[in-house]
Amino acid sequence: IKNIPAISTVTDNLELENSKKALSLKKKDNTDGSFVVLDLEEETTGLLYLDIEVPCECEILIGWGEHLTDMRVRSYIGGRNFCASYYAREGRNRFFAPFLRLGLRYLQLNIPAPNTVIHYAGIIPTLYSPAENISFRCSDKLHNTIYDTCLRTLILCMHEHYEDCPWREQALYSMDSRNQMLCGYYVFHETEFARASLRLMAHSIREDNMLELCSPAEVSITIPAFSAIFLVQSYEYLLYSGDIEFISEIKPVLMRIADEFIRRTANEKHLIKCFGEQKYWNFYEWQSGLEGSISGSIDEDNLTYDAPLNAFVSMALSSLSEICASLGDIENQSRYYQAHISINESMDREFWCEKEGAYASYLKKGELIHFAELTNSLMIYAGAVPDSRFELVAERLTNGSMLPVTLSHTIFKYDALMTNPEKYGRYVFDDIAEKWGYMLRQGATSFWETIDGDCAFGNAGSLCHGWSAIPAYIYMKYAFDIDSKFTGLYECIIHNS
């Protein structure tokens, strides 16, 4: 195990004596000991290993994190602890922690001893080895770096299953993993990992026919839209793997989810209202007005028809119809397809605002409110936008006049716009360069949960989130033809950006 190569920050009460084999620390008078912050030089994940020599018994405090915004490692955030303690004996201590995987860039040690020798302090990396690792190079160095960083972000979020992030939660969500799977099909040719994660999620079906928020877990709330996207990612798995046997295995779960959504369309508008019970979180993305609330139930008078939810369900029903067709279940293929068409027709009728030239996110007591890029992207994605309105909606998506989409959900915006790549291809790749280039310029070695970085979510924003590796998918889907050669359109866009 090699020594950590760099010491990024130390306090001025230390006397450092570096050697090739160890780092010696000696406390100054009137201090309790030493502290040191080690820079692992990039976001990484693995198991803690310490090799430290102290002259007396002491409790070593250990903190880990992704940044040094506070000039220290931010180890306690809103009730979350990213810290541990090790009770060292006199002499040399070699300690390996096999049951706690850390996600971090920085490791901080507080050592209450008169002097210390650090032979090693860091992690033993635990990184998944995908089936393949497809390289990507074009004439623009920025896009090459974005692609490489996307790959690292994806790898850091793959262990027992897909993880939202290696640092904060290490949890499997359907919406997060859908992005990760799509990227993985292209850049890793990976299907086994996707199948294992899909099976975990299928096993988490609840009595109310929704999936648990995370898998495997029991959580007091769940997100209905995330159950809908599970049908989409299941169909995409079938497309990229051809694994009929596994899809047949989870088909009953997919049908339970779909039939529950169809049941909820039994009203005068043939649309789904937001889920009013306290156990549901009507979340769509981390953006104002779309983040929902988990503070309690919603009374009947305040229930809204939510365009994002209905669009996700429309996509789910279309996906299940295609699955049934692949399995030879023609009756259910027709049933789910008709339900998909019915929701699309209702969404176009009820959510279109002629004055705005766009679709509203919510219909509340007859009033259309909230206009967002995500909502309008989903309407295109679901196939609910007639040809006569496509250019109006696409123009609103590209002129900055609506609430912008966040990093994770740009996949819907980019895919929607790339239905007309000749007109919107340059915009898509320039937008990637701007947003993901910004993170790189801030020193990112993996891509963030949201563009706000570490200050998001009460200073708990993740700086490594698998759902933000979307550019890798966009590059591979739209950059190459079937023979893995650059398309002329893409080469022109990248060269001139």
Side-chain angles (χ1 to χ4, degrees):
I1 303 171
K2 296 181 180 179
N3 288 320
I4 293 297
I7 303 296
S8 64
T9 306
V10 293
T11 55
D12 59 5
N13 71 329
L14 298 182
E15 294 178 357
L16 295 180
E17 183 182 327
N18 280 295
S19 71
K20 292 182 179 180
K21 295 183 179 181
L23 174 68
S24 296
L25 309 176
K26 183 178 180 180
K27 82 177 188 72
K28 285 196 171 183
D29 295 340
N30 302 318
T31 63
D32 295 327
S34 307
F35 88 85
V36 61
V37 176
L38 304 169
D39 182 358
L40 279 62
E41 299 189 333
E42 62 183 351
E43 179 84 21
T44 190
T45 180
L47 305 172
L48 179 69
Y49 184 83
L50 301 177
D51 185 351
I52 297 178
E53 195 171 352
V54 289
C56 58
E57 292 184 0
C58 62
E59 180 185 9
I60 299 175
L61 302 181
I62 307 161
W64 58 89
E66 298 181 313
H67 57 82
L68 295 179
T69 306
D70 309 309
M71 302 306 294
R72 298 287 189 277
V73 173
R74 191 182 288 166
S75 300
Y76 181 74
I77 310 168
R80 300 179 180 93
N81 263 320
F82 303 97
C83 54
S85 60
Y86 172 71
Y87 291 88
R89 66 175 182 268
E90 179 184 346
R92 190 161 179 173
N93 295 258
R94 293 183 178 90
F95 174 71
F96 171 56
F99 302 119
L100 177 64
R101 188 175 60 249
L102 313 182
L104 73 164
R105 173 168 177 170
Y106 299 99
L107 183 70
Q108 180 171 319
L109 304 177
N110 290 54
I111 309 170
N115 52 74
T116 304
V117 179
I118 300 178
H119 298 278
Y120 181 86
I123 63 167
I124 298 174
T126 54
L127 301 174
Y128 181 76
S129 296
E132 296 184 44
N133 199 329
I134 309 302
S135 61
F136 168 87
R137 287 296 176 268
C138 67
S139 56
D140 190 299
K141 184 177 179 181
L142 174 59
H143 286 285
N144 292 336
T145 305
I146 290 172
Y147 179 84
D148 291 343
T149 308
C150 284
L151 261 62
R152 180 158 185 83
T153 303
L154 290 167
I155 288 290
L156 289 169
C157 296
M158 298 172 73
H159 287 96
E160 293 82 5
H161 47 65
Y162 293 104
E163 300 161 358
D164 59 335
C165 56
W167 167 65
R168 193 184 62 214
E169 295 171 42
Q170 302 180 7
L172 171 61
Y173 293 86
S174 58
M175 188 70 73
D176 299 59
S177 63
R178 187 259 175 166
N179 288 5
Q180 294 166 281
M181 288 177 188
L182 275 178
C183 294
Y185 297 142
Y186 282 98
V187 304
F188 301 141
H189 290 180
E190 179 68 66
T191 59
E192 290 186 23
F193 200 95
R195 181 175 66 245
S197 295
L198 289 168
R199 180 175 279 117
L200 269 178
M201 288 186 279
H203 284 317
S204 78
I205 189 74
R206 306 176 353 157
E207 291 184 0
D208 61 358
N209 300 315
M210 296 288 106
L211 299 181
E212 290 284 358
L213 179 62
C214 306
S215 305
E218 289 185 4
V219 187
S220 60
I221 59 168
T222 194
I223 300 174
F226 281 26
S227 291
I229 205 69
F230 178 68
L231 278 66
V232 177
Q233 67 187 132
S234 296
Y235 173 56
E236 289 165 345
Y237 170 78
L238 177 61
L239 281 179
Y240 288 99
S241 71
D243 189 352
I244 291 288
E245 182 179 353
F246 172 71
I247 292 298
S248 298
E249 174 190 326
I250 66 170
K251 181 188 173 191
V253 173
L254 305 179
M255 292 181 63
R256 283 179 60 182
I257 296 170
D259 290 346
E260 176 63 27
F261 283 126
I262 291 174
R263 184 185 69 80
R264 288 175 177 262
T265 63
N267 53 63
E268 70 280 1
K269 295 190 181 299
H270 304 290
L271 290 171
I272 302 168
K273 292 182 179 179
C274 66
F275 284 48
E277 301 93 321
Q278 187 170 353
K279 61 184 177 181
Y280 298 116
W281 178 12
N282 296 290
F283 170 86
Y284 304 116
E285 71 166 336
W286 289 116
Q287 186 56 283
S288 177
L290 292 169
E291 71 276 46
S293 172
I294 56 176
S295 60
S297 59
I298 306 171
D299 61 68
E300 185 67 28
D301 290 340
N302 288 309
L303 291 178
T304 56
Y305 292 98
D306 296 6
L309 175 59
N310 282 273
F312 279 125
V313 171
S314 172
M315 293 157 52
L317 295 172
S318 175
S319 296
L320 184 52
S321 175
E322 294 292 341
I323 287 173
C324 290
S326 299
L327 299 179
D329 184 354
I330 304 305
E331 180 181 350
N332 281 315
Q333 174 198 5
S334 176
R335 181 166 71 93
Y336 291 124
Y337 178 74
Q338 292 303 319
H340 154 70
I341 293 299
S342 175
I343 286 182
N344 276 3
E345 291 173 348
S346 298
M347 286 195 296
D348 180 50
R349 180 182 66 249
E350 299 294 341
F351 292 113
W352 175 253
C353 179
E354 193 67 39
K355 179 181 178 181
E356 290 283 340
Y359 292 93
S361 301
Y362 304 107
L363 176 61
K364 183 176 183 179
K365 298 180 179 179
E367 182 183 0
L368 292 172
I369 56 175
H370 195 279
F371 294 87
E373 289 183 0
L374 174 64
T375 302
N376 286 267
S377 299
L378 291 174
M379 293 293 289
I380 295 176
Y381 209 98
V385 179
D387 292 343
S388 59
R389 289 176 177 164
F390 176 84
E391 287 302 327
L392 282 173
V393 175
E395 177 63 23
R396 291 297 304 272
L397 288 176
T398 56
N399 65 13
S401 60
M402 290 191 293
L403 189 70
V405 74
T406 56
L407 293 177
S408 61
H409 286 28
T410 54
I411 190 169
F412 300 109
K413 177 179 176 178
Y414 294 159
D415 268 341
L417 291 174
M418 289 302 280
T419 57
N420 186 353
E422 289 77 12
K423 184 169 184 178
Y424 298 108
R426 182 179 299 279
Y427 171 88
V428 168
F429 290 109
D430 284 351
D431 199 58
I432 289 172
E434 177 184 348
K435 290 182 171 63
W436 277 262
Y438 167 79
M439 288 183 275
L440 292 176
R441 289 191 295 274
Q442 302 306 306
T445 62
S446 55
F447 289 128
W448 308 343
E449 185 173 10
T450 72
I451 203 68
D452 295 327
D454 68 271
C455 66
F457 314 115
N459 292 329
S462 161
L463 300 187
C464 178
H465 232 75
W467 72 3
S468 293
I470 290 164
Y473 159 74
I474 298 297
Y475 292 148
M476 300 304 282
K477 181 175 181 178
Y478 299 109
F480 292 98
D481 62 22
I482 198 168
D483 296 319
S484 298
K485 298 176 182 177
F486 282 118
T487 62
L489 168 70
Y490 181 86
E491 185 72 290
C492 176
I493 291 170
I494 292 295
H495 183 72
N496 294 317
S497 288

